[in-house]
Amino acid sequence: MTYRKKTDYCKHMKLILFDIDGTLIDSGGAGTRSLDLAFKELFSIDNAFEGISMAGKTDIQIMKEGIAKHNLPSENGILSEIINTYIKNLVIEINNDKKHVKPGIKEALKMLTSGNGNYQLGLLTGNIEQGARIKLDPFGLNSYFPSGAFGNDDEDRNKLLPIALERFKGISGKEINFNDCIIVGDTPRDVHCAKPYGASCIAVATGPYSVSSLVEAGADLVMKDLSDTDAFLKAIKGV
């Protein structure tokens, strides 16, 4: 016997979706090293991703760019091999002394989850889900994010927001409109994946992009970082 969970529309709830790299954490280069190591192990190519810009892209998109750059065959399960080898290396590489949480993140997450349930948290990231969880685990952040949308859901980041909403509805039974979603990220791509749906974006200049470039990208609000948790909460209420 099966049944469908009743879906409730949440008029006053906001879903806040966080990017990972450059926004929540800095992995200390673990992701790039793990990709390079995967290509070294599988194809004997050193520094395979040198010159490939990664900020804001999905893992699958980056891997396919690496495949194309080195004229590797794209069939016969090569992508799955790369993913598996990348994950194997990431488990090791994330244990480095340079990894750290971005300013104000832990305080902001505690603040958002200590209220009356008006704010729900999730992930919207280019990382494949397994990689995302590996990166967040050393900092104890996974428990804040019960669901989200990931780079293995679709290699086009602009298609991830509807996936995140559907996944949230599936686990909570609650429905949220696009305009009640706020994406928090550090690249223009985070801004661009919000705008087609009418969602808001709070950009933080804690990654490779400056405040001015994030303003130019069209973010609703740009903050230097999230160290001022009161200002961040005010921003969330205001967008």
Side-chain angles (χ1 to χ4, degrees):
M1 184 176 184
T2 61
Y3 66 94
R4 182 182 297 274
K5 186 186 292 185
K6 181 180 178 183
T7 299
D8 299 316
Y9 172 65
C10 301
K11 186 174 182 180
H12 303 294
M13 182 179 290
K14 288 188 177 183
L15 179 60
I16 306 170
L17 298 163
F18 284 82
D19 172 55
I20 294 178
D21 297 289
T23 302
L24 289 172
I25 67 157
D26 185 318
S27 72
T32 301
R33 286 196 305 276
S34 298
L35 283 171
D36 279 336
L37 287 167
F39 270 60
K40 174 66 173 177
E41 182 175 335
L42 294 171
F43 314 115
S44 299
I45 299 172
D46 289 313
N47 302 314
F49 290 86
E50 186 175 2
I52 294 179
S53 173
M54 298 185 182
K57 294 179 182 177
T58 63
D59 282 349
I60 304 302
Q61 184 181 4
I62 294 166
M63 290 173 187
K64 286 186 175 180
E65 287 186 22
I67 290 170
K69 176 183 178 181
H70 299 289
N71 298 311
L72 297 169
S74 58
E75 64 278 355
N76 297 326
I78 188 173
L79 188 59
S80 293
E81 285 190 61
I82 293 170
I83 290 171
N84 291 337
T85 311
Y86 162 72
I87 290 297
K88 180 189 71 174
N89 285 300
L90 185 61
V91 170
I92 299 168
E93 293 300 319
I94 193 61
N95 294 308
N96 67 81
D97 293 335
K98 293 184 178 180
K99 69 181 185 299
H100 59 272
V101 179
K102 291 294 182 176
I105 289 298
K106 288 191 174 181
E107 294 79 6
L109 296 178
K110 288 177 183 177
M111 174 190 68
L112 292 170
T113 54
S114 64
N116 55 11
N118 284 346
Y119 304 116
Q120 299 295 317
L121 304 185
L123 295 168
L124 195 156
T125 173
N127 285 275
I128 59 176
E129 184 170 8
Q130 192 175 0
R133 298 304 182 181
I134 290 169
K135 287 182 178 180
L136 294 178
D137 185 62
F139 308 104
L141 297 183
N142 272 314
S143 61
Y144 288 103
F145 306 106
S147 70
F150 305 88
N152 55 296
D153 291 317
D154 199 297
E155 67 180 272
D156 183 350
R157 194 184 192 102
N158 287 356
K159 295 180 180 179
L160 293 182
L161 181 54
I163 295 170
L165 283 186
E166 190 64 25
R167 200 160 275 157
F168 174 76
K169 183 172 71 173
I171 67 169
S172 69
K174 298 176 180 179
E175 189 167 356
I176 294 179
N177 281 335
F178 286 122
N179 58 12
D180 288 319
C181 294
I182 302 170
I183 293 174
V184 182
D186 67 295
T187 76
R189 285 185 170 89
D190 295 296
V191 180
H192 299 158
C193 75
K195 291 307 174 182
Y197 303 97
S200 301
C201 181
I202 296 175
V204 286
T206 48
Y209 290 91
S210 65
V211 169
S212 60
S213 63
L214 294 168
V215 170
E216 186 178 349
D220 295 278
L221 183 73
V222 181
M223 303 181 71
K224 183 179 178 181
D225 58 39
L226 298 186
S227 56
D228 188 338
T229 52
D230 290 335
F232 181 49
L233 181 59
K234 184 177 179 180
I236 287 171
K237 291 178 177 178
V239 295

